[in-house]
Amino acid sequence: MNQPAGKNLCHRRSTCRLCGGNKLTLVLKLAPTPPANAFVSRDELDKPQALFPLDVFFCESCRHVQLLDVVDPSVLFENYVYVSGTSPSFVAHFQNYAKGILDQFKPAPGSLVVDIGSNDGTLLRFFQQAGMKVLGVDPARNIAEEATRTGIPTRAAFFSPKLAAEIRAQDGAASVITGNNVFAHIDNLGAIVEGIRTLLAPDGVFVFEVSYLVDVFEKTLFDTIYHEHLDYHSVKPLVPFFNRLGMELIEAVRVGSHGGSLHGIAQLKGGPHPVGKSVAEAIANEEKLGLDRPETFHQFGRNINSLKTDLGKLLRELKAKGKKIAGFGAPAKATTLMYHFEIGPDLIDFIVDDSPLKQNLFTPGYHVPVVPSSVMYERKPDYVLILAWNFAAQIMKSHKAYTKAGGHFIVPIPQLEVH
Ligand SMILES: [Zn+2]
């Protein structure tokens, strides 16, 4: 039950989100999808779900890789299945993150730390424990209220230049501003940076983490391309971007979070901190990989399409032999993979997922049912295609009983493998 996108739900911008340039080249055309997180309940199966273009563009001026089709946030987050960021590895990452900033920049006790998109306040709590004054900003009212109740004051709002001015008037300038995974989600990035500039103390730093294009490219994470992620950042275009807006990138380091991220630090232009060599090193590596050339992404697309051909052929052959196939894992990125590889209910009967939040829902658009992994042992499909393929090793290890009983796992990426 799909219908083409209504024009009012999505608009295509005509300029680069970082430099404003208009020489934009289409480098990767993925199949249009519904919003990647728009899982639906049984009651909503009759409701049509709109598909939106998933075209990746390369800016010939600054080399930034991005989507130009911007889906209305009210559509993207309508059926959002909220997953709290409080897994132990995530908490440990934030603990190191806070410690790293405190060690490097040594803000005085009582200095203001503001986190944009602060969620449940996990990161700010570590700054608070170190004696800093903290303030969260998060548009989700229920999350902001809960964080405030547990001792992390949080404003339920979108970060903007106006809000930044209000905070500065009320609480003073911020020594540290953090923003994690917000830099890829917002169409008007310039306004965010303007707000940061308004709020930041003269010696303050803005620290951000965002998925890194180098990881998307090296690990074939093409399925992390979906409408919520408007930008696929690399360091080279970010340097002139910050510069144009009165700021300066001073560190750019690769970290492991979210499958591979960029940890960047910026200060006000002319600020007191030296530019670390990490910035030039990151750019040199990106150039070595060819991420500053459109041809690299054309080739990336050809590789993805050859994986699609091989997997499609395998699945259709298995179906022709009467084999039963299921899927494993229903992360948001499975939507991109399923649509681009054309894997719908004609090929897979159901998907198992260990998250209770996804169970008993149906996948966006294709409406494949998502059920607990116990169903895999009851219905005994001959093959299970691992859609959460970045966890393939872990999944196969946890479900040896399935392969021992004669079942097979299919890993689609980075190479097609049958186990
Ligand atoms: Zn650009």
Side-chain angles (χ1 to χ4, degrees):
M1 291 290 285
N2 292 311
Q3 66 176 21
K7 273 211 171 90
N8 53 337
L9 301 176
C10 179
H11 73 273
R12 175 168 283 192
R13 57 180 295 142
S14 56
T15 56
C16 169
R17 203 169 278 109
L18 290 193
C19 78
N22 58 12
K23 278 195 277 177
L24 295 150
T25 303
L26 176 64
V27 287
L28 179 60
K29 194 167 180 58
L30 297 172
T33 71
N37 269 305
F39 288 80
V40 297
S41 65
R42 189 171 291 280
D43 303 343
E44 298 163 307
L45 287 176
D46 291 343
K47 224 168 95 183
Q49 283 182 278
L51 303 181
F52 301 98
L54 199 53
D55 296 341
V56 181
F57 288 84
F58 177 88
C59 173
E60 300 285 351
S61 305
C62 79
R63 311 346 228 167
H64 181 50
V65 173
Q66 59 203 293
L67 304 184
L68 296 178
D69 295 289
V70 181
V71 180
D72 189 310
S74 70
V75 178
L76 284 188
F77 298 106
E78 192 187 4
N79 299 72
Y80 200 74
V81 180
Y82 171 70
V83 183
S84 159
T86 47
S87 75
S89 67
F90 207 75
V91 175
H93 172 64
F94 274 161
Q95 185 167 17
N96 288 331
Y97 185 124
K99 185 174 181 301
I101 298 167
L102 293 166
D103 288 351
Q104 188 174 355
F105 299 103
K106 299 186 172 54
S111 299
L112 178 64
V113 179
V114 176
D115 190 20
I116 304 169
S118 54
N119 206 322
D120 61 2
T122 302
L123 175 61
L124 285 177
R125 219 169 289 277
F126 291 112
F127 284 106
Q128 193 180 51
Q129 282 163 10
M132 303 295 138
K133 179 176 163 185
V134 300
L135 177 67
V137 178
D138 199 295
R141 184 162 297 278
N142 54 340
I143 294 168
E145 280 170 4
E146 178 63 13
T148 303
R149 202 184 57 75
T150 59
I152 303 295
T154 303
R155 297 187 65 146
F158 285 99
F159 187 76
S160 65
K162 183 169 166 280
L163 182 71
E166 269 175 50
I167 295 172
R168 184 163 184 146
Q170 199 177 323
D171 298 304
S175 293
V176 179
I177 301 176
T178 51
N180 303 303
N181 300 306
V182 292
F183 238 47
H185 291 75
I186 294 164
D187 188 32
N188 190 353
L189 269 188
I192 297 292
V193 176
E194 198 190 322
I196 290 163
R197 213 179 51 214
T198 303
L199 180 56
L200 206 57
D203 61 346
V205 287
F206 167 56
V207 187
F208 62 97
E209 277 190 8
V210 71
S211 291
Y212 193 21
L213 182 64
V214 168
D215 292 283
V216 174
F217 177 72
E218 286 187 331
K219 301 174 188 164
T220 327
L221 302 173
F222 86 95
D223 47 357
T224 60
I225 299 172
Y226 49 85
H227 300 102
E228 284 167 40
H229 299 155
L230 293 167
D231 293 300
Y232 301 86
H233 287 290
S234 55
V235 177
K236 189 171 179 156
L238 281 172
V239 172
F241 167 70
F242 278 115
N243 197 41
R244 182 168 66 84
L245 294 167
M247 293 190 70
E248 182 180 30
L249 189 67
I250 58 171
E251 297 285 358
V253 180
R254 283 179 85 171
V255 290
S257 37
H258 293 285
S261 298
L262 174 68
H263 182 91
I265 306 179
Q267 66 178 350
L268 296 175
K269 208 188 270 183
H273 311 292
V275 177
K277 57 181 191 253
S278 61
V279 177
E281 284 170 359
I283 293 172
N285 183 49
E286 291 165 6
E287 288 174 346
K288 198 178 90 197
L289 292 170
L291 300 185
D292 56 345
R293 295 192 295 275
E295 175 48 31
T296 305
F297 300 97
H298 290 301
Q299 184 57 46
F300 183 67
R302 288 193 286 272
N303 295 347
I304 292 163
N305 287 339
S306 103
L307 287 168
K308 170 187 170 164
T309 306
D310 295 346
L311 178 66
K313 190 165 166 275
L314 172 68
L315 296 181
R316 278 188 297 273
E317 278 170 10
L318 292 173
K319 268 314 225 200
K321 288 182 194 158
K323 302 293 183 192
K324 287 195 163 57
I325 310 169
F328 200 112
K333 67 202 190 82
T335 303
T336 299
L337 196 155
M338 289 170 73
Y339 269 83
H340 194 65
F341 284 6
E342 296 173 358
I343 301 167
D346 52 328
L347 290 175
I348 51 175
D349 303 332
F350 60 93
I351 294 174
V352 300
D353 194 291
D354 290 325
S355 164
L357 293 168
K358 297 275 170 77
Q359 290 164 7
N360 303 316
L361 295 177
F362 295 79
T363 62
Y366 279 146
H367 295 168
V368 177
V370 183
V371 293
S373 57
S374 57
V375 174
M376 198 168 95
Y377 294 94
E378 291 154 19
R379 291 179 59 181
K380 300 185 176 60
D382 301 293
Y383 289 82
V384 170
L385 171 65
I386 303 183
L387 297 164
W389 58 270
N390 48 324
F391 295 112
Q394 211 174 308
I395 290 167
M396 290 192 284
K397 203 171 157 216
S398 313
H399 293 280
K400 278 193 178 137
Y402 165 71
T403 33
K404 268 196 186 134
H408 297 280
F409 281 112
I410 302 171
V411 183
I413 299 170
Q415 287 112 34
L416 180 60
E417 290 172 15
V418 181
H419 292 263

